[in-house]
Amino acid sequence: MSFPLDIAAVFLPLAGAAFAGFGGRRFGDLASNVATCAGVLLSAVFSVLLLASAVHAGPSERVLFAWIQSGGFSANWGIRIDTLSAVMLAVVTSVSSMVHLYSIAYMEREAGKSRFMAYLSLFTFFMLALVTAPNLLQMFFGWEGVGLMSYLLIGFWYKKDSANDASMKAFLVNRVGDFGFLLGIFGFFALFGSVDFDVLFEKAQEMSAVSFSFLGQSFPALTVLCLLLFVGAVGKSAQLGLHTWLPDAMEGPTPVSALIHAATMVTAGVFMLARMSYVFEYAPGALAVVAVVGALTCIFAASIGLTQFDIKRVIAYSTMSQLGYMIFAAGVSAYSASIFHLMTHAFFKALLFLCAGVVIHALSGEQDMRKMGALRHVTPKTYVLMWIGSLALAGIGIYGVGFSGYYSKDLILEAALGRGTGVGVFAYSLGVAAAFMTAFYSGRLLFLTFHGEPREQHLAAEHAHEASWAMLGPLVPLALGALFAGGLASGLFSGEGTETFWNGAIFVLPEHNSMAAAEHVSSVYSALPVVCAVVGFVLSWVFYVAFPEMPAIAATAFGAIYRFVYQKFYFDELYNAAFVRPTRLLGGWLWKKGDDELIDGFGPDGLARLSVRLAKRVSSLETGYLYHYAFAMVLGLAGAVSWFWFKG
Amino acid sequence: MVSLPILSVLTFLPLIGAAVILLAGNGDEEARARFAQRTALGVSGGTLVLALALLAAFDPSVPGFQFMERFVWIPAYNISYIKGVDGISLWFVVISAVLTPVAVLAAIGSVKKRVREFMIALLVLETMMIGTFTALDLVLFYVFFEGVLIPMFLIIGVWGGEKRTYAAYKFFLYTLLGSVLMLVAVFAMALYAGTTDMTVLMGGKFPKEMALWLWIAFFASFAVKTPMWPFHTWLPYAHVEAPTAGSVILAGVLLKMGGYGFIRISLQMLPDASLVFAPLVIGFSLIAIVYASLVALAQTDMKKLVAYSSVAHMGYVTLGLFSFNRQGFDGAMMVMLSHAFVAGALFLCVGVVYDRLHTREIDRFGGLASGMPKYAAAFMVFTLAAIGLPGTSGFVGEFLSMQGAFLVSGWIAFAAALGIVLGAAYMLWLYRRLFFGPLDKADVRAMPDLNGREIAMFAPLLVLVLWMGVYPSSFINVYAPAADNVLSFFGAQAHEAQHD
């Protein structure tokens, strides 16, 4: 028997987490750091090896043991390895490794370091369990598991109220999504008699004919089920409607943000769409919804990103916007492009967050960009790294040579246009507009933070310092990824070799082949996003370097719109008024009115009042219970005897 | 062949222990109390070992009853002493045997007055519980089923909190209704069938109209015990006033007697009537899930919150049972088993801080994660199990119960699934108020972390919660043939869900 690479890759982070979680106190922080970092680093090495073999060998599954078996329902714990899960394994573990290493230095002065490292590793493990799941149920295990870990990590500084609010919000908003996902699982079992991917993939075409009727209307069953799963993705991948948790998740320590945004959580929804491509392809209605929601999220988040001042929030909204690209890519059947962008994004987004972490560290915890400025003299290395990340994010490149994001984002937009549907054109248009905004807010972030004059003298003067190599070191591989990953991998994720590369891991109906069509999109349309991005950068330079009084003028000129966008379209306020407060009021009302007044009033208390009156005549209340009880038995006996009497 | 009547030994061993405590032991009051504690722990531990031996000796491939004992008891009325277990009742015997020593451990720390009497009450309670789950004669079942209430009344009434009179009274009024009707039904069944042998009574042998009335009579008792909405309002009070050990047994075992009754009597003896009333039960279950979760959200007393969450969880039990398919049935069983450990553990958790600060007001605490990290970790695991996180015991049952309900109607599952969002809301909100935030109250800061005794009572529950979550098949397989046996009455409905 050969060495089980897959088991090692998935379970090493769990082992590391267990060591740090249980042994952290006994063996110390150093041992915890070594164990958790070694766990994910080894896992990353094995994942890359697995990727190489999966591309050749095609999908394979290993059953570990039976999880739930109940009549006809069965789901195993297992590991499914194919190109898709192997790509995810490699991306997740490599980014997670860098975050682990970075955290050692970043969290140096914090209490509970072992706990933190254990959480990071456990987070990684849940994500690995998710991507290697052989059935919907194990996917749901990982799905909820990452939700739990985000809850624990966002609320890591549990003495802060804002962190606790944010962590609860993250869990609950995700639970709303999971609610949909769960109903989807139920439906898949009801329809297919199984939740195993193999069975679902095989029978999807057959089941596409099934429909059910509701209120006199007939709905294709697969579309409904796919939409239910997609509700889960909307929650996990912070798409419009269930996105409100993501910006607040910034309350967690910065390495956590990097992990959540780049590797272990928000990508789960995108991955799910690719994993279920065999099924979604037969649910065209669901795909259209996916594309529209993705495109709307893309522009919505980008527009908010233009107005925020918290450095991490800007990056957070940019994540949401980039996830919109990935989601609508899946919606136009360009799953390959979607996963490609997931990969490149993982590198440059982790890089951006960790750079932001350096900045925040340098300024003793300050996150407001209005108080920064001129940091390029203080943290020159971080400045360069942040430029690399931003250019990759904005997708800058020309004639087929550029930063990582250039390849994947262009591919998505071309595929959307190439799909040849109204929805595709819609997604392309919003995507191009968002590309402009992306460049603008990226430039804004860089110029506000690193250029101009230091706006808060004491911050810059007192502590500001470049980070040590312990923190900068892990950024280098990420920067290399942001620079080269796109160019190196574009031959695999697009063009001729794509099908061989995926080797059956994803499926696209021939008539949905937007990836092939992408290559024939007119060069005007494929150049447009890059042009927009360059214009965006230039304009941000004009606004924030050349004429720094411009932003204020613009904000005043578009006062109402600006406030609306700055307040994030008032989603939080709306949800609080529509759901949170009414639910709590209803709970209290049901308790006081329902239980105390209605049920008790007519039930036991009413009876009690009656029997108190009776009992006062018969005996004292204090000794009454057992007596009453015996009385009840006698009464029952009497009833039974009379029954016997009358029947007899 | 004469073999050891293991079920009778299991049933009456705790009673013997109670007698020993009553009669033996000398010295001053303190020495006798210590003797009582040790005896109770030893006897309940011995019962646990015996129960585990029973589990090991049980043949899970057989659908029928095993370890049968049968003696004629009251020949004139054809009433016998019949005992036996199938895979279903076996698990309830095991949870009774697991939770009693845990409750003894809890009582050792918190019950300071009338210690001997308390230990006696706990052991008598264990006899009654195991007696209920192993009885196969309807009269015997009734005697044990109702007998449980006497020690429970005493535990609430004697060792309870300030408003124990009201709580015990409410408890009494509800169960009065149930037990009277149930007794009538038991006699009616006996007179009609000429026997009280439960194995004979199974399979739907009663005329339709009579079955409907019988069903309603039993329903009254089981619905109160479970408790189902709207018969649940005794539970929050009973829990709040009961001492920790009482709450553990009440939530862990006594509530399951309702579910067990539904399986044994409603489903197995009155299947046709169960089909007729299923919409009513499902309706009540859905209301229970949503309503009790909402009410839990508004609670300021830890015990009341956990009590309302129990009502919501029991909603998944009745929902699953009355879906009449394997997924629903397994869901109901797993929710009951999981809830036994999780709710038991959560009440123990409440007890831990109540022992230290003598309050259950949630707002009196805060920031405990800093001062009591071990406690915080244990509480977190049980919280996650309570909200049904996959990988914990809570998930398996809720998932299967809703899956079973979905096969009946997607909309039922939709309504039931609202509970997973609300459940997360009230539990995390509770956790947050207890554990997070600054540790700024001096008396809260002074509370010590878990001691050895407390760790000993949480450890087995933690292991069970995770084991059941990761490898529930080891629980389901034991009773699978028995479950198919129960569902065989509902042939058409059960097979609809089988697919294979």
Side-chain angles (χ1 to χ4, degrees):
Chain A
M1 208 182 94
S2 60
F3 181 71
L5 276 179
D6 51 346
I7 294 181
V10 173
F11 288 99
L12 275 172
L14 179 64
F19 179 87
F22 296 116
R25 269 158 199 267
R26 186 165 314 156
F27 302 107
D29 290 333
L30 181 65
S32 299
N33 290 342
V34 171
T36 49
C37 291
V40 280
L41 279 167
L42 274 175
S43 174
V45 172
F46 295 151
S47 298
V48 172
L49 295 176
L50 276 172
L51 176 59
S53 66
V55 171
H56 293 289
S60 69
E61 272 187 27
R62 179 198 291 276
V63 174
L64 295 172
F65 58 92
W67 182 11
I68 297 182
Q69 258 178 330
S70 163
F73 184 97
S74 85
N76 290 321
W77 294 109
I79 298 178
R80 182 188 174 92
I81 296 292
D82 55 13
T83 306
L84 179 60
S85 55
V87 166
M88 292 299 294
L89 277 176
V91 171
V92 171
T93 51
S94 53
V95 171
S96 174
S97 304
M98 295 309 125
V99 172
H100 270 77
L101 291 173
Y102 177 91
S103 299
I104 295 175
Y106 190 85
M107 300 297 285
E108 206 179 355
R109 284 181 220 140
E110 300 285 343
K113 284 187 286 293
S114 295
R115 182 166 62 97
F116 185 79
M117 299 304 281
Y119 285 174
L120 288 186
S121 281
L122 196 56
F123 205 162
T124 311
F125 163 73
F126 277 119
M127 190 66 189
L128 299 184
L130 191 161
V131 299
T132 57
N135 53 51
L136 281 173
L137 205 66
Q138 184 179 323
M139 191 188 248
F140 190 67
F141 164 78
W143 197 265
E144 289 243 289
V146 293
L148 164 69
M149 295 320 295
S150 68
Y151 164 77
L152 291 173
L153 281 165
I154 294 167
F156 184 77
W157 286 316
Y158 58 79
K159 289 176 188 164
K160 254 169 72 183
D161 273 346
S162 56
N164 294 325
D165 287 340
S167 65
M168 256 187 78
K169 189 171 173 184
F171 196 94
L172 292 180
V173 172
N174 268 288
R175 263 266 155 139
V176 174
D178 295 355
F179 163 86
F181 197 99
L182 197 58
L183 287 172
I185 299 178
F186 297 148
F188 272 104
F189 175 68
L191 189 62
F192 289 75
S194 173
V195 291
D196 288 334
F197 290 140
D198 282 339
V199 179
L200 302 187
F201 296 173
E202 197 188 308
K203 287 204 204 164
Q205 186 174 13
E206 185 188 324
M207 294 297 168
S208 60
V210 181
S211 63
F212 77 94
S213 56
F214 173 62
L215 299 176
Q217 294 270 328
S218 172
F219 296 94
L222 271 192
T223 297
V224 174
L225 297 184
C226 286
L227 284 176
L228 285 171
L229 289 189
F230 182 59
V231 172
V234 170
K236 202 103 311 180
S237 293
Q239 295 298 289
L240 191 59
L242 295 178
H243 64 278
T244 53
W245 66 274
L246 189 69
D248 291 23
M250 295 300 99
E251 288 293 337
T254 305
V256 175
S257 311
L259 203 55
I260 289 179
H261 286 253
T264 53
M265 179 141 172
V266 294
T267 53
V270 179
F271 164 77
M272 186 278 289
L273 292 173
R275 171 53 86 217
M276 294 294 283
S277 59
Y278 280 87
V279 182
F280 272 83
E281 282 295 291
Y282 292 104
L287 282 178
V289 173
V290 169
V292 169
V293 170
L296 288 174
T297 305
C298 179
I299 189 93
F300 167 82
S303 68
I304 298 178
L306 296 173
T307 62
Q308 300 300 303
F309 290 105
D310 183 315
I311 185 169
K312 281 172 78 181
R313 269 180 197 261
V314 174
I315 308 177
Y317 279 105
S318 112
T319 303
M320 196 179 142
S321 168
Q322 299 302 308
L323 287 165
Y325 281 105
M326 299 175 213
I327 295 282
F328 82 64
V332 296
S333 298
Y335 306 100
S336 182
S338 172
I339 297 297
F340 186 25
H341 196 54
L342 186 158
M343 180 195 81
T344 57
H345 175 260
F347 289 112
F348 58 70
K349 189 48 59 72
L351 176 64
L352 284 172
F353 264 117
L354 296 182
C355 285
V358 174
V359 170
I360 295 166
H361 230 234
L363 298 177
S364 321
E366 185 53 60
Q367 297 184 195
D368 191 335
M369 295 192 297
R370 283 170 293 193
K371 297 181 181 166
M372 300 177 183
L375 282 174
R376 68 178 189 279
H377 308 298
V378 188
T379 59
K381 298 186 196 93
T382 310
Y383 173 63
V384 171
L385 290 169
M386 199 116 187
W387 261 108
I388 293 173
S390 299
L391 291 171
L393 169 66
I396 298 297
I398 192 163
Y399 293 125
V401 182
F403 293 87
S404 284
Y406 163 70
Y407 298 92
S408 50
K409 191 183 288 181
D410 265 21
L411 190 61
I412 287 178
L413 290 168
E414 287 165 9
L417 200 58
R419 182 71 179 78
T421 58
V423 170
V425 174
F426 175 75
Y428 172 84
S429 318
L430 297 193
V432 170
F436 162 77
M437 293 183 185
T438 306
F440 186 88
Y441 65 63
S442 298
R444 175 176 176 265
L445 185 153
L446 286 165
F447 298 133
L448 276 177
T449 309
F450 293 100
H451 288 252
E453 295 300 313
R455 281 176 290 277
E456 296 264 327
Q457 287 297 343
H458 70 277
L459 274 178
E462 282 164 21
H463 305 288
H465 55 277
E466 178 66 292
S468 65
W469 278 108
M471 260 161 84
L472 290 178
L475 303 187
V476 173
L478 294 174
L480 292 175
L483 283 169
F484 304 118
L488 290 174
S490 74
L492 301 173
F493 288 92
S494 63
E496 306 264 303
T498 314
E499 220 156 293
T500 352
F501 174 65
W502 289 109
N503 204 348
I506 57 178
F507 169 75
V508 180
L509 282 175
E511 62 265 35
H512 289 181
N513 203 340
S514 54
M515 292 292 293
E519 291 168 35
H520 307 296
V521 167
S522 146
S523 56
V524 177
Y525 292 118
S526 52
L528 196 56
V530 178
V531 173
C532 284
V534 173
V535 172
F537 267 116
V538 172
L539 211 59
S540 69
W541 179 83
V542 172
F543 264 60
Y544 293 95
V545 180
F547 304 100
E549 61 278 12
M550 281 285 279
I553 297 169
T556 326
F558 300 98
I561 299 174
Y562 174 79
R563 265 195 306 282
F564 190 65
V565 177
Y566 180 70
Q567 295 299 337
K568 303 158 252 168
F569 293 62
Y570 294 99
F571 263 94
D572 282 330
E573 289 75 7
L574 179 72
Y575 284 176
N576 270 330
F579 301 112
V580 180
R581 246 170 288 150
T583 306
R584 295 185 63 172
L585 286 176
L586 185 62
W589 187 82
L590 285 176
W591 179 28
K592 295 293 179 198
K593 296 285 169 184
D595 265 23
D596 285 359
E597 283 186 25
L598 201 67
I599 297 176
D600 280 357
F602 285 98
D605 287 355
L607 277 174
R609 277 192 293 278
L610 198 75
S611 62
V612 162
R613 257 175 268 148
L614 282 173
K616 269 183 182 158
R617 296 184 186 183
V618 184
S619 68
S620 82
L621 199 66
E622 283 299 308
T623 57
Y625 312 126
L626 284 176
Y627 164 76
H628 281 169
Y629 189 67
F631 181 70
M633 286 182 110
V634 171
L635 209 72
L637 206 63
V641 169
S642 23
W643 171 289
F644 177 68
W645 211 251
F646 286 114
K647 282 272 166 178
Chain B
M1 196 186 104
V2 179
S3 62
L4 181 74
I6 182 169
L7 294 180
S8 292
V9 173
L10 202 53
T11 307
F12 293 107
L13 185 65
L15 197 63
I16 295 168
V20 169
I21 295 176
L22 187 66
L23 302 173
N26 45 29
D28 59 352
E29 192 53 37
E30 202 173 314
R32 295 177 68 178
R34 225 174 306 124
F35 173 76
Q37 290 171 341
R38 284 192 195 138
T39 312
L41 196 57
V43 170
S44 60
T47 311
L48 173 59
V49 171
L50 210 56
L52 294 177
L54 184 72
L55 183 61
F58 183 83
D59 179 358
S61 61
V62 180
F65 291 95
Q66 301 179 31
F67 308 105
M68 292 285 284
E69 298 167 21
R70 192 185 285 268
F71 309 101
V72 176
W73 185 17
I74 310 171
Y77 298 98
N78 205 4
I79 297 173
S80 306
Y81 175 92
I82 312 175
K83 279 185 167 288
V85 285
D86 64 356
I88 297 167
S89 46
L90 178 61
W91 278 121
F92 291 103
V93 172
V94 172
I95 58 171
S96 310
V98 170
L99 286 177
T100 306
V102 171
V104 171
L105 277 175
I108 289 174
S110 60
V111 173
K112 302 291 180 202
K113 64 165 189 176
R114 295 177 190 242
V115 175
R116 291 171 63 230
E117 288 82 351
F118 192 85
M119 293 300 159
I120 290 171
L122 271 183
L123 290 176
V124 172
L125 195 55
E126 185 172 26
T127 286
M128 295 297 175
M129 294 186 303
I130 296 177
T132 305
F133 295 127
T134 53
L136 283 181
D137 179 279
L138 208 50
V139 173
L140 194 63
F141 174 82
Y142 181 79
V143 168
F144 281 121
F145 189 89
E146 299 299 336
V148 164
L149 299 175
I150 297 170
M152 202 63 219
F153 275 141
L154 294 173
I155 286 175
I156 297 175
V158 176
W159 290 273
E162 282 167 22
K163 282 161 78 181
R164 57 181 185 266
T165 312
Y166 179 70
Y169 204 89
K170 214 165 177 179
F171 187 27
F172 167 74
L173 270 172
Y174 267 111
T175 40
L176 171 81
L177 166 87
S179 54
V180 171
L181 291 174
M182 182 166 156
L183 187 63
V184 173
V186 166
F187 275 93
M189 269 185 163
L191 292 171
Y192 179 84
T195 178
T196 50
D197 184 337
M198 289 166 74
T199 57
V200 177
L201 293 171
M202 286 173 188
K205 300 194 172 126
F206 300 95
K208 178 136 197 204
E209 199 177 333
M210 183 183 181
L212 294 181
W213 286 108
L214 289 173
W215 193 94
I216 292 172
F218 280 112
F219 175 77
S221 183
F222 301 147
V224 167
K225 189 74 61 122
T226 300
M228 284 184 81
W229 184 91
F231 309 106
H232 65 280
T233 60
W234 62 271
L235 187 74
Y237 288 91
H239 270 309
V240 165
E241 299 308 324
T244 302
S247 283
V248 170
I249 298 293
L250 184 60
V253 186
L254 262 56
L255 302 190
K256 276 71 201 181
M257 288 167 53
Y260 178 72
F262 275 126
I263 296 173
R264 261 309 166 249
I265 293 176
S266 304
L267 261 55
Q268 285 196 282
M269 297 184 190
L270 308 162
D272 297 322
S274 294
L275 277 172
V276 171
F277 287 108
L280 176 84
V281 176
I282 289 178
F284 279 178
S285 307
L286 294 179
I287 295 175
I289 291 169
V290 176
Y291 180 107
S293 302
L294 285 169
V295 175
L297 212 49
Q299 299 307 309
T300 54
D301 180 301
M302 295 163 78
K303 266 193 160 179
K304 271 199 176 171
L305 193 152
V306 182
Y308 276 107
S309 92
S310 293
V311 177
H313 280 107
M314 291 304 110
Y316 288 105
V317 173
T318 42
L319 178 68
L321 286 180
F322 284 83
S323 299
F324 306 120
N325 52 48
R326 252 311 285 283
Q327 289 77 36
F329 188 90
D330 287 347
M333 280 296 289
M334 293 307 285
V335 171
M336 284 196 274
L337 296 181
S338 162
H339 183 264
F341 303 132
V342 174
L346 285 173
F347 282 117
L348 289 174
C349 284
V350 177
V352 165
V353 286
Y354 185 77
D355 287 348
R356 287 160 172 71
L357 215 59
H358 300 287
T359 179
R360 290 179 307 264
E361 274 302 307
I362 298 168
D363 293 339
R364 276 289 283 111
F365 299 95
L368 288 177
S370 311
M372 303 173 72
K374 285 180 204 153
Y375 177 59
F379 203 118
M380 176 51 82
V381 175
F382 296 124
T383 297
L384 296 177
I387 66 181
L389 198 87
T392 66
S393 60
F395 172 70
V396 182
E398 284 178 25
F399 174 81
L400 286 174
S401 164
M402 286 188 278
Q403 177 70 73
F406 191 97
L407 296 171
V408 176
S409 155
W411 292 104
I412 298 175
F414 177 88
L418 291 173
I420 70 157
V421 179
L422 294 171
Y426 65 71
M427 283 312 291
L428 292 184
W429 177 229
L430 167 71
Y431 195 88
R432 183 203 158 148
R433 284 178 287 171
L434 292 176
F435 290 94
F436 295 152
L439 182 58
D440 49 10
K441 300 183 181 84
D443 51 354
V444 177
R445 199 181 307 135
M447 297 200 302
D449 205 352
L450 299 182
N451 59 35
R453 176 184 60 83
E454 287 161 338
I455 289 171
M457 63 193 195
F458 284 124
L461 299 177
L462 272 172
V463 171
L464 279 165
V465 161
L466 294 177
W467 180 8
M468 201 189 286
V470 174
Y471 192 44
S473 303
S474 54
F475 289 80
I476 296 176
N477 290 341
V478 172
Y479 71 81
D484 287 332
N485 199 22
V486 173
L487 293 171
S488 60
F489 299 119
F490 306 93
Q493 284 79 2
H495 284 290
E496 195 181 6
Q498 289 292 324
H499 279 291
D500 46 11

